[in-house]
Amino acid sequence: MVAPSPYASRLAQIPVERHEVNVRGGTTAYWVYGDPHAETTVVAVHGYRGEHHGLDPVVAYLDDIRIISPDLPGFGETAPLPAVPHTLETYADWLTDFVRAVAPGAVVLGHSFGSIVVAAAVAGGLEVPKVILVNPIGAPALEGPRGILTRLAVFYYWAGAKLPKPIGDALLRNGLIVRVMSVSMAKTKDAELRTFIHDQHDTYFSRFADRDVLHEGFVASVSHDVRAFAPRITQPTLLIAADRDDITPIEAERHLQTLFPQAELVEITGVGHLIHYEKPSEAAAAITRFLRPSADGRR
């Protein structure tokens, strides 16, 4: 039984359409939310092992903005890209081509691993007016508050890729392990919200194409962070960070802000790495304010 979403009634009021586009030899599935004539379009990139559904709670509070939300290659309804390893460079090139094909000139938003993909693409030349990073990976994952758990995750994904395929697949899709991941990230005390979060992870965390792309994506996610790209991102940038994030501590996020030529940091309290599930209205409020036209008429 699917747990009811606390955001379902709001999301139901926003029109949504599913589309596909050929990008770098593969078919990318993406969803378009909101008024097609809205003044502002945001391309939203989800995190590792997730898919576009994860950002739906934030979309529910952005009813005046057109949102384009793709599934990353190898996750959800987007197949892996053919004949290439799924490195960070691959994902950044894919995002660059996707935005140019579907929404040139759009603002780009990335959550978690999506923040690294967005940062790499923009630093590499993707032309966008503004950048939004939610729960940005602002420090090496292996050095975070749960560095030991991250090292265990490295072994877990390595083992899943190296064991005989039936055993490796079973390990990577194991429901108990997915639940442990979910429990470790959720900070809310609201029982209904926790049930919804766990159901989301149970439903979508195993919708990856195969163990190879899952392992490649994990290596990309823990081998890079946003710091390396920040100095080359000259566009106005919004960082939305959590004060209880176990992956990037808030002190590292404050330092990350200083590496951008022009960035502001919004800190959301009482939440960890799941801002998009636990406090989407606060994130959406910060995004809406950031996207308002400035005094000189730019968006």
Side-chain angles (χ1 to χ4, degrees), residues 56 111 131 177 211 267 277 293:
D56 277 358
H111 172 258
V131 177
I177 294 176
R211 63 180 186 167
E267 298 182 18
Y277 282 141

Side-chain angles (χ1 to χ4, degrees), residues 111-112 115 133-137 240-242 245 253 272-276:
H111 172 258
S112 189
S115 74
L133 305 179
V134 182
N135 285 121
I137 307 301
I240 303 176
D245 196 332
E253 302 286 30
H273 202 64
L274 303 180
I275 286 174
H276 58 307

Side-chain angles (χ1 to χ4, degrees), residues 54-55 58 81 103 126 138 140 149 164 187 199 209 240 299:
L55 294 173
V58 179
L81 296 175
L126 174 59
L149 288 179
K187 304 300 181 186
D199 181 73
I240 303 176
R299 291 195 73 86

